[in-house]
Amino acid sequence: MKNKELIYEYLDGELDPMLEEKLFAEMSVDQELRDEFSHQLKINKFALEDMNTMQVPSETTAAVFANLGFTIPTSVSAKKASPLLLFLKSKRFMKASIAVAAFVLSIASGWWLNELSNSPQAEISTAQACIVNTENTTSNATPNLTTDKSNLFSDNLYRSTRKSRRLMPIASTGLANDAVSNESNTSDIVSNDEISNDIAQSEESSDNDRQAPQVLSYSALNAIGGDFSFAENETALFDYINLGNTSSDFETTLYTRGLRIAKELPVADDKSFFSGSSISIMYKLNDEHYIGGDFGEDEFYQEFYYQHGEQNVLYKQAPNYYWGAVSYKYLPEFLSIGDIAQPYAKLSLGGCKAGVIGKAQLGLNFQINQSLNAFIGGEYNSLFFNIRKDLYTSHKFELLYGISINL
Amino acid sequence: MKNELNKLSDAEIVAMLKDKSTAEGAFAEFYSRYSQYVWAFCLKIIGNTDEASDVFQDSFTKFYNIASEGRITSNPKAYLLSIVRTTCFNYKRDHKKYVVIDDLNAIPDTFSTQNTYLDNEQSEIIKQAIDALPQDQKEVMVLRLYQGCSYSEIADIIGEPLSIVKNRLYRAREKVKADLARYLDD
């Protein structure tokens, strides 16, 4: 028997006592053997320490006893887990918590960004904005109620409008419906001092080269059910950026969006730098299903009526709203095209200050390498907003493309 | 009752599992004696806490069912560990997450001494070294160092001759020592 084997058997308590003397005699004259003994002693010690760190999880103990129909004695588990604790520690709860947290974070972030970015006058909701326009006398940001065609589209006035929400009354409508062409009626219709001031300011401006939008004349109606007209086939190059990464469990993605099909204001646009950008954080439930939240800024065309006395005024605006939504993403494996491409669908439901937002994406994901994916697809967007109990909708469709980065 | 059970041998405890009126207390006592050993074995062999938990539960359930039928007549600890071992390997076979060990030389050395010595605690290093052992060597190391099993107990548990047990332990120790050589010399 080798001397090493003597050491092993000695430490294992298996060595014959007769051989112990031989072992220690050998070690007394052999430094290498003493080192070997010391090494093996350390390994045994470390293994024992490792063993002491491994405690049976309380939920596992609970499961064993539950499987056998026994109650858990305190002598076995001093830290008996309550059913609530077991639930709180469960994977299902963790996943649900992450989804809820992502949703709350999305909504909170959208609300917070709105608070940061908007002036006090602009913080009001769309519905409130209409009321302020007719009654409030302090706002310079939303002074746009007028039926005076020549004043309405002066650059001076338009600038003050588009700072925040570009609220643009297009025409007054009513039973008589002559306000559009009758400038003398303006002061009668709009008795608001500030609005009159703004109109006066706009009249001082000689810069009237901005093309006036189409003036529409509508018969009086309540527009309950909203404006469901969609896609005037106007397209515009539209930048849309989402930042993100993909990890083993969480995914965020870098998006860019291209052509948009939507109803738009017929005037030059000056979208905010972040307009159309958003961040998506998704938790990977498994290889096919993701849940999480999105939040970002997006422009929505809005068209609605507002009653001023006997006048029914049509407004058009394209404000930028910060929005948040809870999202679900599905990547069906059975539709995968080899290891290269995989289709996906994503649904988001959330809200902004104006109302409820829904988004639906369909796209194709291309795996470039393990850390980089490219994708292309389309997104359908809907905004449901309420003006004085009248429900309106706004829709748009955008081309979606970009990359996702795995970190 | 609890104090009385503490004084009983494993065989006496297991015998009480046959009687439903005493089974619950006896099982709790037996569980308190060996649950940590079983857990350590499951964790070492399976490597994943959730999966180890499943195997752990199955093992104790099987053990109780067999014991309640009076089919365990000697060395309950070895019998339990034998059940655990079989359950672990069946689980791994069914889930095919691990390589079946036919050729020990084919097992890659996943333990990188260069990357771990400098940063890890001592116990973490030895744990990694043992985890990186080939499966057959790892199980005898775990049974010996973690479970405190004698050579003959290990032989019973794995169903191999004593000489095989000694040989695997020897090779396992040599490999662990080689992996830890730099650290052990410090």
Side-chain angles (χ1 to χ4, degrees), chain A residues 358-378:
Chain A
K359 290 171 177 277
Q361 279 184 28
L362 279 177
L364 199 57
N365 194 66
F366 300 92
Q367 183 171 357
I368 298 172
N369 59 42
Q370 284 193 337
S371 61
L372 191 63
N373 290 278
F375 57 87
I376 187 167

Side-chain angles (χ1 to χ4, degrees), chain A residues 1-2 4-5 8-14 35-36 38-40 42-57 59-65 67-73 75-76 91, chain B residues 2 23-24 27-29 31-32 35-37 39-40 43-44 49-50 53 56-57 60-61 64-65 122-123 126-127 130 141 144-146 149-152 166 169-170 173-174 176-177 180 183-186:
Chain A
M1 183 182 285
K2 294 177 184 176
K4 280 184 182 177
E5 291 178 64
Y8 299 159
E9 292 197 5
Y10 174 78
L11 292 174
D12 290 339
E14 302 269 351
D35 290 342
E36 176 67 24
S38 175
H39 292 165
Q40 293 302 330
K42 279 185 181 177
I43 291 172
N44 281 18
K45 173 175 170 282
F46 294 155
L48 192 61
E49 289 174 357
D50 186 28
M51 173 72 183
N52 290 332
T53 65
M54 288 187 281
Q55 299 295 327
V56 186
E59 56 266 33
T60 301
T61 293
V64 169
F65 281 78
N67 287 342
L68 298 174
F70 296 157
T71 56
I72 308 169
S75 60
V76 172
K91 282 184 176 179
Chain B
K2 176 176 175 288
E24 186 164 345
F27 181 80
E29 174 60 27
Y31 183 89
S32 70
S35 59
Q36 189 177 6
Y37 296 120
W39 177 249
L43 208 53
K44 283 289 172 190
T49 302
D50 289 340
S53 179
F56 179 90
Q57 293 174 44
F60 268 105
T61 303
Y64 174 76
N65 290 336
Q122 292 177 343
S123 60
I126 183 69
K127 189 167 70 175
I130 292 174
M141 275 291 267
R144 173 62 223 132
L145 296 184
Y146 287 72
C149 293
S150 67
Y151 291 172
S152 59
K166 288 184 178 180
L169 266 176
Y170 181 86
R173 282 189 156 115
E174 288 292 297
V176 169
K177 193 186 77 172
L180 300 177
Y183 176 77
L184 292 170
D185 287 338
D186 288 342

Side-chain angles (χ1 to χ4, degrees), chain B residues 131-159:
Chain B
D131 287 345
L133 286 171
Q135 201 65 53
D136 59 347
Q137 294 177 25
K138 180 159 63 174
E139 70 168 332
V140 294
M141 275 291 267
V142 170
L143 288 169
R144 173 62 223 132
L145 296 184
Y146 287 72
Q147 319 289 336
C149 293
S150 67
Y151 291 172
S152 59
E153 282 179 322
I154 297 172
D156 286 344
I157 291 167
I158 67 173

Side-chain angles (χ1 to χ4, degrees), chain B residues 84-135:
Chain B
V84 175
R85 176 179 180 270
T86 305
T87 309
C88 282
F89 291 137
N90 285 346
Y91 184 91
K92 290 170 67 174
R93 180 200 62 205
D94 294 344
H95 290 74
K96 295 180 181 177
K97 286 189 174 180
Y98 296 84
V99 178
V100 176
I101 303 194
D102 293 324
D103 179 4
L104 298 182
N105 294 325
I107 304 302
D109 183 1
T110 57
F111 178 71
S112 170
T113 57
Q114 292 180 347
N115 293 333
T116 54
Y117 281 154
L118 297 178
D119 300 328
N120 290 334
E121 296 291 332
Q122 292 177 343
S123 60
E124 184 64 24
I125 294 170
I126 183 69
K127 189 167 70 175
Q128 289 186 36
I130 292 174
D131 287 345
L133 286 171
Q135 201 65 53

Side-chain angles (χ1 to χ4, degrees), chain A residues 249-318:
Chain A
D249 286 330
F250 287 94
E251 175 194 87
T252 51
T253 310
L254 175 64
Y255 287 103
T256 302
R257 293 187 178 181
L259 295 178
R260 179 176 65 169
I261 302 173
K263 215 167 182 179
E264 292 185 325
L265 286 177
V267 292
D269 213 337
D270 64 337
K271 297 181 181 68
S272 78
F273 180 78
F274 292 107
S275 178
S277 65
S278 72
I279 292 176
S280 171
I281 303 171
M282 305 293 286
Y283 178 73
K284 183 179 181 181
L285 295 173
N286 55 43
D287 288 340
E288 290 190 325
H289 304 281
Y290 293 72
I291 56 172
D294 288 46
F295 64 93
E297 183 183 13
D298 211 348
E299 183 186 74
F300 282 94
Y301 175 84
Q302 291 177 295
E303 197 173 282
F304 57 89
Y305 290 92
Y306 192 83
Q307 189 83 27
H308 298 282
E310 294 184 352
Q311 298 290 327
N312 202 17
V313 181
L314 172 66
Y315 286 85
K316 289 185 177 183
Q317 61 177 351

